[in-house]
Amino acid sequence: MLEIKEIWKTFNAGTVNEKQALRGVSLTLNDGDFCTVIGGNGAGKSTMLNAVAGTWTVDSGTISIGGTDVTRLPEYKRAKFIGRVFQDPMLGTAPTMQIIENLALAARRGQTRSLKWGITKAEKERYQELLRGLDLGLEDRLTSKVGLLSGGQRQALTLLMASLQKPKLLLLDEHTAALDPKTAAKVLELSDRIVEENHLTTMMVTHNMKDAIVHGNRLIMMYDGRIVIDVSGEEKKKLTVPQLLDLFSKVSGSDEADDKLLLS
Amino acid sequence: MNPIALLNSLPGAVSQGLIWGIMAIGVYLTYKILDVADLTVDGTMCTGGAVFIMLTMAGWSIPAALLASFAAGMLAGLATGLLHTACGIPAILSGILTQLALYSVNLRIMGKANQPINANNYKLLVSSRNVKVLSVENPILVVGIVCLVVIALLYWFFGTELGCALRSTGSNPAMSRAQGINTNFTTVLGLMLSNGLVALSSALLSQYQGFADVSMGRGAIVIGLAAVIIGDVIFGKVFTNFALKLLSVVIGSVIYYTVYSLVIWLGMSGDDMKLITSLIVALFLSIPYWKGKYFSKPAKKGGAANA
């Protein structure tokens, strides 16, 4: 479903701030794969997700989604294939617009926006039903401005928005990192449910090793702009946090993992 | 300080307020909806009138000349939009560049700095001479209807899929791109629509006052902002519907011109009005900042109990 081949990205090339963020990353996700991504700060996790989403273009390498080469497509055109939830709850929704308007915008992801009315009656009922499923009491607040919602409510709404127009690929970029533990757990549970119900191919970046092990069927760890660990299937199911740390120090040749990864 | 004089000046103030109200709606679209301060309007506020007068004198019909003015304004918006999106120049600087260029363009259109048009020779839509006449030609009635039509059309447009995309672009550009919206396109479209309206307002103003002048748009952005802010301060809490918000902008503009005549009546020089306007707008723009800085309560953390 997703095929990344040898992508490289350097930021601020030629300056003192030069940073090789991605150094030849290759990754293939099969249809329905739920892949968790871990790694320390600056390892390239979010950079990889942004490369796929098209926030900027990569220096070299190719990215294709569902057989379509998207390497040169601008972000808004790739959006047709991709649903996204960001780390910052503010980023995923339009705060000055109503809940129902946000949903209607998301339902038209990847379609031409014409002079037809922005929200149909049938949609309204569908959204009400879907919001009821979130169990956050949002079904009675369709016309509330999203800016009034809490961080957790917004992330839940953004997840729902990402799945309205079934994406070929769902990108979750530390989408629970800004939430309190209880809310984070709820949003993660909801993510699992939405991924399962819609059978979505998913990449989830997380800081939390336990979450990375519990969720999904595949786990990759990044270090210094490369993928250094890739486990899946039975092997992943049996994985424990100490094992993962062991594996990491072997690959990276340092104990740095203890400081950076155990923080969460 | 004759109260009759003040009363006499009111109909003119209301007409002017309504005409500038259309301009202020244009400012509202960029400033409030797109979240861009577009300084192009200072130039466009003359372009519309210049195009209208020249075409009318060349024999065009009034509706056709008005449409052409609107189109000319859209072209100015297109120029600013392309400077901003295709050339990566900050929005505010793009507007300044176009505005400056328009000064020359406006002179070229008119051939001189001031171009009068005689209401006796042409069947103009509005004229200040009818301002106290009770007839269908009264500018308050005519421009009032134009305002309502503009508000109705915008209300419809911003309810459509495309209009929603434009609103979300101003609200959250990153999210909009993630939803597949070409934010460059919507930004340019918004700037074109806004400047089209400003040019329409300019065309009406040139008829009303009987001439177009190369400096008639000077400081227009500030007057537009004043109208937007006055409308927001007075009606912001009550009017939540989009059409009513646009209406509040028009009312804000009418209030501005009413206060303007009051200030003149009090014996102050009209020359000082730009200073006063600037101060008022600066004050109202500072209030939210001061509020946040000195009177803010500790913000609630994200992720409330019901999340």
Side-chain angles (χ1 to χ4, degrees):
Chain A
M1 187 51 76
L2 171 69
E3 203 171 354
I4 304 177
K5 272 191 203 148
E6 271 293 306
I7 53 170
W8 289 73
K9 180 71 186 178
T10 305
F11 289 110
N12 304 315
T15 71
V16 284
N17 292 322
E18 183 169 304
K19 162 88 182 153
Q20 282 201 322
L22 295 176
R23 307 197 303 155
V25 172
S26 296
L27 177 71
T28 304
L29 290 188
N30 298 320
D31 194 13
D33 264 357
F34 185 162
C35 174
T36 56
V37 185
I38 52 172
N41 289 323
K45 310 177 300 277
S46 294
T47 315
M48 181 174 67
L49 248 60
N50 286 336
V52 173
T55 312
W56 23 256
T57 47
V58 290
D59 299 337
S60 65
T62 60
I63 301 165
S64 63
I65 301 171
T68 313
D69 184 354
V70 300
T71 318
R72 297 282 144 206
L73 280 190
E75 188 179 7
Y76 76 90
K77 281 194 181 155
R78 292 189 205 186
K80 190 174 179 182
F81 311 112
I82 302 173
R84 282 157 87 187
V85 185
F86 306 89
Q87 175 174 1
D88 181 353
M90 305 288 173
L91 277 185
T93 44
T96 58
M97 296 174 76
Q98 301 168 359
I99 292 177
I100 186 169
E101 289 175 330
N102 271 275
L103 287 164
L105 276 171
R108 288 163 179 75
R109 181 164 46 75
Q111 297 175 357
T112 313
R113 290 169 205 263
S114 66
L115 292 177
K116 275 185 293 197
W117 199 243
I119 306 164
T120 62
K121 267 201 180 137
E123 271 180 279
K124 199 173 160 183
E125 278 161 32
R126 179 183 164 215
Y127 298 153
Q128 212 152 18
E129 219 34 62
L130 287 166
L131 286 170
R132 191 166 288 128
L134 295 184
D135 198 23
L136 294 171
L138 295 180
E139 64 273 17
D140 305 320
R141 298 175 61 187
L142 278 178
T143 55
S144 293
K145 296 264 155 66
V146 172
L148 300 170
L149 304 187
S150 70
Q153 287 174 324
R154 284 194 210 190
Q155 291 304 67
L157 181 63
T158 312
L159 264 169
L160 182 59
M161 284 164 62
S163 64
L164 274 183
Q165 179 75 249
K166 193 182 163 189
K168 288 195 190 308
L169 182 66
L170 177 65
L171 300 178
L172 308 173
D173 188 0
E174 293 193 50
H175 67 307
T176 59
L179 308 175
D180 65 77
K182 207 175 127 198
T183 313
K186 255 191 157 178
V187 170
L188 265 179
E189 191 191 306
L190 178 69
S191 313
D192 270 345
R193 208 179 81 204
I194 283 181
V195 168
E196 217 164 283
E197 278 172 6
N198 298 286
H199 189 70
L200 299 177
T201 311
T202 305
M203 263 212 278
M204 178 173 91
V205 172
T206 172
H207 251 102
N208 189 314
M209 286 200 154
K210 219 190 290 165
D211 286 343
I213 292 172
V214 173
H215 297 271
N217 64 340
R218 187 167 169 189
L219 180 153
I220 60 174
M221 183 184 271
M222 296 191 70
Y223 176 74
D224 203 18
R226 282 170 298 134
I227 294 173
V228 288
I229 293 171
D230 186 343
V231 285
S232 52
E234 283 304 309
E235 195 187 349
K236 176 178 179 288
K237 275 186 195 155
K238 287 188 220 140
L239 208 60
T240 62
V241 173
Q243 275 175 356
L244 197 54
L245 281 172
D246 246 15
L247 215 53
F248 180 72
S249 20
K250 234 182 273 167
V251 176
S252 66
S254 81
D255 298 330
E256 155 182 45
D258 296 77
D259 309 331
K260 282 190 175 164
L261 290 171
L262 282 181
L263 279 176
S264 44
Chain B
M1 301 287 265
N2 180 356
I4 302 293
L6 178 65
L7 221 57
N8 264 327
S9 71
L10 276 184
V14 174
S15 318
Q16 271 200 304
L18 288 171
I19 292 172
W20 280 85
I22 297 170
M23 185 272 173
I25 288 178
V27 171
Y28 182 90
L29 297 190
T30 47
Y31 182 68
K32 282 280 187 183
I33 295 182
L34 268 188
D35 200 19
V36 164
D38 175 31
L39 300 189
T40 318
V41 296
D42 278 29
T44 322
M45 197 57 199
C46 170
T47 309
V51 167
F52 177 85
I53 286 187
M54 298 316 285
L55 289 180
T56 307
M57 292 200 306
W60 285 44
S61 70
I62 302 292
L66 278 175
L67 268 179
S69 300
F70 186 80
M74 288 185 92
L75 277 179
L78 177 67
T80 303
L82 290 180
L83 284 174
H84 178 43
T85 56
C87 309
I89 300 171
I92 211 153
L93 192 52
S94 306
I96 292 174
L97 289 172
T98 312
Q99 179 204 121
L100 186 68
L102 280 178
Y103 188 84
S104 303
V105 173
N106 294 339
L107 281 173
R108 282 277 177 190
I109 294 173
M110 294 189 289
K112 51 184 176 176
N114 185 297
Q115 183 67 60
I117 186 163
N118 192 333
N120 291 327
N121 304 339
Y122 303 94
K123 184 111 191 54
L124 299 181
L125 195 61
V126 285
S127 172
S128 58
R129 67 173 68 176
N130 297 327
V131 80
K132 281 171 215 148
V133 185
L134 281 178
S135 79
V136 287
E137 287 186 332
N138 189 305
I140 297 180
L141 179 72
V142 177
V143 184
I145 290 171
V146 175
C147 283
L148 290 180
V149 171
V150 165
I151 290 174
L153 284 174
L154 288 176
Y155 182 77
W156 163 76
F157 175 72
F158 281 98
T160 64
E161 294 176 346
L162 187 60
C164 285
L166 219 153
R167 283 194 288 148
S168 83
T169 301
S171 184
N172 186 343
M175 169 266 195
S176 302
R177 281 189 292 274
Q179 301 302 344
I181 294 167
N182 183 349
T183 50
N184 280 347
F185 172 74
T186 46
T187 303
V188 172
L189 183 67
L191 284 166
M192 289 175 73
L193 194 56
S194 161
N195 278 286
L197 287 172
V198 174
L200 178 68
S201 162
S202 167
L204 291 172
L205 183 63
S206 67
Q207 295 173 66
Y208 178 81
Q209 63 190 15
F211 64 89
D213 188 278
V214 77
S215 67
M216 71 194 262
R218 181 169 296 164
I221 178 76
V222 185
I223 297 176
L225 282 177
V228 169
I229 291 168
I230 294 170
D232 192 45
V233 166
I234 299 181
F235 303 105
K237 290 258 156 43
V238 206
F239 288 1
T240 48
N241 177 288
F242 181 68
L244 291 178
K245 282 209 181 293
L246 293 180
L247 186 65
S248 75
V249 172
V250 176
I251 299 175
S253 171
V254 170
I255 293 174
Y256 174 85
Y257 274 96
T258 310
V259 172
Y260 183 94
S261 359
L262 188 71
V263 168
I264 302 286
W265 178 73
L266 286 172
M268 285 179 69
S269 160
D271 295 343
D272 295 332
M273 201 53 198
K274 287 217 172 12
L275 174 67
I276 297 168
T277 310
S278 276
L279 288 175
I280 292 173
V281 170
L283 183 73
F284 276 105
L285 290 179
S286 322
I287 287 173
Y289 174 73
W290 288 336
K291 255 190 181 164
K293 197 168 177 191
Y294 302 110
F295 304 100
S296 65
K297 293 172 197 144
K300 267 194 201 160
K301 286 259 167 66
N306 61 345

